[in-house]
Amino acid sequence: MSDGAGEYPAALEILLVEDNPGDVRLTKEALRTTSIEHDFHVVTDGAEALDFLHRRDEYADAPRPDIILLDFKLPRLNGDEVAAEIDGTKELRKIPLVVLTGHPAQDDVLGIDELPVDAALTKPVDSEEFLETVRSFEQL
């Protein structure tokens, strides 16, 4: 995620997988207040996320994300199914995967701690918490 000198790439490629338009808007606003230059891509369900990540169909020219923000409850394919596919694909496995949750107290109930994820953020996304999370991946 960094160039080795502690600098972020010219623009961090962020993929948000979220079906709630309000949460998409709030996440965009939170990220807009960060100091990180970024390109923001949004898909609205799990199947579309996998098409983006595997560069299929309309996403043939999609950039490889530097970080994936994944809602847990999605149409077509749930977040756990998307996470399992990412974990099972060598070229995707190294991308930091952050689960977005509306109820952090329910993480154990939802099984988030058992998924192949790198972090979890509570919705709506807080810009400072997002920055901390991104910085934690610098050593990856």
Side-chain angles (χ1 to χ4, degrees):
M1 292 185 60
S2 82
D3 63 3
E7 298 296 322
Y8 295 112
L12 191 67
E13 297 289 345
I14 301 171
L15 174 61
L16 173 64
V17 186
E18 173 63 67
D19 63 320
N20 182 312
D23 286 340
V24 170
R25 184 182 54 77
L26 290 171
T27 302
K28 278 184 183 180
E29 289 301 316
L31 298 182
R32 196 169 294 156
T33 66
T34 69
S35 59
I36 299 173
E37 287 292 320
H38 62 276
D39 290 326
F40 194 71
H41 311 276
V42 178
V43 295
T44 58
D45 65 53
E48 192 178 6
L50 294 180
D51 286 345
F52 186 101
L53 293 168
H54 288 295
R55 298 175 174 155
R56 295 187 291 235
D57 302 327
E58 68 183 281
Y59 300 107
D61 296 324
R64 180 69 69 212
D66 295 305
I67 189 168
I68 302 166
L69 304 177
L70 177 65
D71 184 24
F72 192 76
K73 294 183 179 182
L74 294 167
R76 295 177 63 197
L77 289 176
N78 245 340
D80 58 342
E81 295 170 296
V82 174
E85 173 75 17
I86 290 169
D87 190 49
T89 306
K90 185 178 179 181
E91 62 271 9
L92 300 177
R93 187 178 307 137
K94 59 187 166 201
I95 301 171
L97 179 60
V98 179
V99 167
L100 301 178
T101 178
H103 306 285
Q106 292 183 349
D107 286 356
D108 292 338
V109 175
L110 296 173
I112 289 174
D113 57 336
E114 297 174 15
L115 293 175
V117 299
D118 298 294
L121 293 175
T122 302
K123 294 191 284 185
V125 174
D126 174 76
S127 60
E128 289 301 315
E129 187 179 12
F130 176 76
L131 274 173
E132 277 183 39
T133 301
V134 168
R135 287 183 183 126
S136 74
F137 298 129
E138 287 232 68
Q139 303 305 316
L140 298 179

